Amino acid sequence: MRISHFYQPWKHFEVSDFISDSEYKEIKKLYKTFPDPRPTNDRVSHKIQNEMLRNRFIELLKWLNIQWSENTHSIHIELDKISPQFKFQIHTDIWTKVLTLIIHISDRGHGTRLYSSTKTFDWRTLVRTMNWTPRGGGGFLRSDETYHSFDTLEDKTMRQTIILTLRLNKDPVTGEDLT
């Protein structure tokens, strides 16, 4: 696994070789067991449990020096299938997400689009699109400035990704259960 750090428009990273070639082939087989979305402008997500992906994500958290605990955090894994002509709005993630990682499974596509959060630019100003890296992907720590979106407007084939998120399951101030 290799990690590259970027700082524009805000701090984020790209990872390559997150999963091996053999793991990649197994995951591609897994995608075939789930139904496809409609041919255009549709998205389907499937929450899964997968020990290999979970352990690899924990390894990444260690490499990134992210402090987390089973008592206050949980790891969520979703397989996403998105048909051509789909567009998700510019947004920041919900406050309970700590870190998001999108792993690219389909052979072609384009990565998450990142938008400016500075006072110089309107927050809708596209600054960078993460590289599309099958078996790898991109991620970031959530903040109020991490405006991003994704789409398949340029794609002719199904976009397949794995979304791994580290989430709070207890309120850090009150200790209240968030699940």
Side-chain angles (χ1 to χ4, degrees):
M1 179 181 343
R2 291 185 313 268
I3 302 170
S4 300
H5 296 275
F6 299 87
Y7 299 94
Q8 293 298 321
W10 30 264
K11 191 175 177 183
H12 60 283
F13 62 91
E14 291 182 4
V15 64
S16 56
D17 299 321
F18 184 80
I19 53 178
S20 70
D21 283 328
S22 60
E23 293 163 341
Y24 182 65
K25 289 175 185 170
E26 290 303 311
I27 288 170
K28 287 189 81 97
K29 287 180 192 174
L30 180 60
Y31 270 90
K32 292 179 181 178
T33 67
F34 293 110
D36 286 341
R38 291 185 307 253
T40 59
N41 192 27
D42 196 17
R43 174 187 183 191
V44 293
S45 295
H46 306 281
K47 291 184 192 240
I48 66 163
Q49 299 293 322
N50 182 294
E51 210 53 36
M52 179 276 297
L53 289 170
R54 185 180 195 288
N55 290 339
R56 196 66 46 81
F57 188 60
I58 291 169
E59 181 182 337
L60 176 77
L61 294 173
K62 289 177 185 174
W63 280 42
L64 294 171
N65 205 22
I66 305 297
Q67 302 299 313
W68 71 285
S69 146
E70 295 280 354
N71 293 332
T72 56
H73 297 87
S74 56
I75 294 173
H76 295 247
I77 305 171
E78 292 178 29
L79 301 184
D80 245 13
K81 286 183 175 182
I82 306 171
S83 59
Q85 302 305 306
F86 181 86
K87 183 176 182 177
F88 199 83
Q89 75 273 4
I90 300 169
H91 65 286
T92 59
D93 286 342
I94 187 167
W95 70 273
T96 56
K97 285 187 181 180
V98 176
L99 183 133
T100 299
L101 173 65
I102 298 95
I103 298 299
H104 307 141
I105 301 302
S106 47
D107 295 329
R108 293 188 185 100
H110 57 274
T112 304
R113 300 192 190 278
L114 310 179
Y115 298 86
S116 175
S117 61
T118 67
K119 294 182 180 181
T120 310
F121 295 100
D122 181 337
W123 62 270
R124 292 172 294 237
T125 302
L126 176 63
V127 175
R128 181 168 192 271
T129 300
M130 288 189 188
N131 293 313
W132 189 264
T133 310
R135 299 189 310 109
F140 55 89
L141 284 166
R142 184 243 172 255
S143 80
D144 290 338
E145 286 80 40
T146 53
Y147 289 100
H148 62 284
S149 70
F150 58 93
D151 63 65
T152 56
L153 298 176
E154 301 166 20
D155 300 336
K156 304 249 186 292
T157 58
M158 188 79 58
R159 172 185 161 133
Q160 297 173 333
T161 58
I162 300 171
I163 303 169
L164 297 113
T165 54
L166 179 66
R167 299 183 187 203
L168 292 171
N169 59 21
K170 291 194 183 293
D171 186 299
V173 175
T174 67
E176 181 182 330
D177 193 358
L178 301 171
T179 55

